[in-house]
Amino acid sequence: MKIYMTEDYQTMSRKAANILSAQIILKPNSVLGLATGSTPIGMYKQLVIWYEKGDLDFAQIKTVNLDEYVGLEPTHEQSYRYFMQNNLFDHVNINPANTNVPDGLVADPQAECDWYNQVIRKLGGIDIQVLGMGHNGHIGFNEPGNAFELETHVVDLSERTIQANARFFASADEVPRQAMTMGIKSIMMAKKILMLVSGEDKAEAVWKAFAGPVTPQVPASILQLHPYVTLVGDKAALSKLMEEKQ
Ligand code: GLP
């Protein structure tokens, strides 16, 4: 595993954008696995800036997103489809047909998940999967205790995740109770992983994930077994992990 420790959120975002840019430049038809949450926003901003400068071309890029809330329409401000349009897709020359996010409004979410697995397979798998991490070590919406061997599936969100994400909604009551998420198996099948972490409130989860035992209680800990992980974090988020390594 390669770890890049940066001074702050800004430099973390720039480093992550550099890594993703290298992927796009070296393989212009890459399949990018993308993530939402507050952590990657700075990275997307930086990619848009470099696109505007003419340094990046998304014409042949394909994307698959990690997850989506069940019950939110794609135009809902808190849906992950809306997030992706707003933070990246609407600002670069990506072909809309090449962007994939599970549809939150389908009548049968599990069938949507099965279809999503086929989409990933037809694309030939994910070249690089961007990940953030929840405070309980979740990745995508794989909550503690979820089985490691699943591909895209429907999950019940934990109370902690509902509370953490309530800041984006008018109240915790409005946070959907379920989501569709790539499973740990889907994530582990990605050729490369790029994990971003920022802020002292993530330090404990980062430490547990990368210095603790591999356990479904800390979903991100499975990444210790992935052959190609790059962890980019600011020094606040990496503080506890780096203490451990000294
Ligand atoms: C959500 C998303 C995850 C994300 C996590 C952390 O629950 N499903 O993909 O990594 O939140 O979000 P943040 O980056 O805002 O801390």
Side-chain angles (χ1 to χ4, degrees):
M1 180 170 86
K2 187 148 188 71
I3 304 178
Y4 289 103
M5 184 162 78
T6 70
E7 193 56 31
D8 53 22
Y9 179 77
Q10 278 301 107
T11 42
M12 178 210 69
S13 302
R14 200 178 170 94
K15 178 63 78 184
N18 262 305
I19 294 168
L20 221 51
S21 295
Q23 176 72 41
I24 294 168
I25 292 165
L26 290 170
K27 189 180 177 201
N29 63 348
S30 289
V31 179
L32 307 180
L34 299 178
T36 58
S38 49
T39 311
I41 290 177
M43 176 188 74
Y44 292 133
K45 277 207 175 91
Q46 186 63 68
L47 290 174
V48 171
I49 291 171
W50 287 335
Y51 164 75
E52 285 168 350
K53 283 190 172 159
D55 290 349
L56 288 177
D57 180 10
F58 289 80
Q60 298 177 65
I61 290 292
K62 294 159 189 98
T63 67
V64 278
N65 259 78
L66 269 178
D67 48 11
E68 180 59 288
Y69 288 114
V70 170
L72 294 193
E73 60 274 18
T75 51
H76 188 290
E77 279 187 18
Q78 294 310 328
S79 78
Y80 287 169
R81 164 55 79 177
Y82 182 90
F83 176 102
M84 289 312 304
Q85 295 298 138
N86 206 26
N87 285 289
L88 183 66
F89 301 156
D90 287 347
H91 309 292
V92 298
N93 65 331
I94 197 159
N95 177 350
N98 287 341
T99 68
N100 298 283
V101 183
D103 181 348
L105 275 195
V106 286
D108 183 349
Q110 188 50 55
E112 174 75 0
C113 293
D114 296 343
W115 171 81
Y116 206 68
N117 291 330
Q118 294 310 317
V119 169
I120 297 173
R121 283 207 170 77
K122 278 197 192 131
L123 289 171
I126 298 166
D127 287 304
I128 186 164
Q129 177 64 55
V130 177
L131 294 174
M133 200 194 301
H135 294 103
N136 56 7
H138 77 227
I139 44 179
F141 269 131
N142 293 281
E143 297 282 23
N146 280 177
F148 272 168
E149 65 272 15
L150 295 175
E151 294 185 47
T152 313
H153 61 291
V154 180
V155 286
D156 294 329
L157 300 182
S158 74
E159 199 44 46
R160 191 157 183 205
T161 299
I162 292 168
Q163 292 307 330
N165 289 350
R167 66 188 196 276
F168 302 116
F169 292 81
S171 73
D173 289 344
E174 286 185 25
V175 183
R177 266 38 193 174
Q178 284 192 316
M180 289 170 274
T181 184
M182 275 187 209
I184 296 293
K185 185 174 173 190
S186 333
I187 293 170
M188 289 298 280
M189 286 192 303
K191 294 178 191 97
K192 297 178 217 163
I193 301 285
L194 172 59
M195 170 159 275
L196 275 59
V197 286
S198 172
E200 208 191 331
D201 56 321
K202 295 284 172 73
E204 172 100 10
V206 173
W207 170 69
K208 281 190 182 158
F210 294 105
V214 175
T215 163
Q217 292 317 316
V218 184
S221 65
I222 189 74
L223 297 174
Q224 292 180 38
L225 305 181
H226 192 286
Y228 199 123
V229 176
T230 308
L231 172 63
V232 184
D234 58 24
K235 61 183 188 197
L238 296 186
S239 54
K240 215 166 146 82
L241 180 67
M242 291 322 218
E243 253 169 47
E244 180 86 9
K245 286 199 179 290
Q246 271 159 19

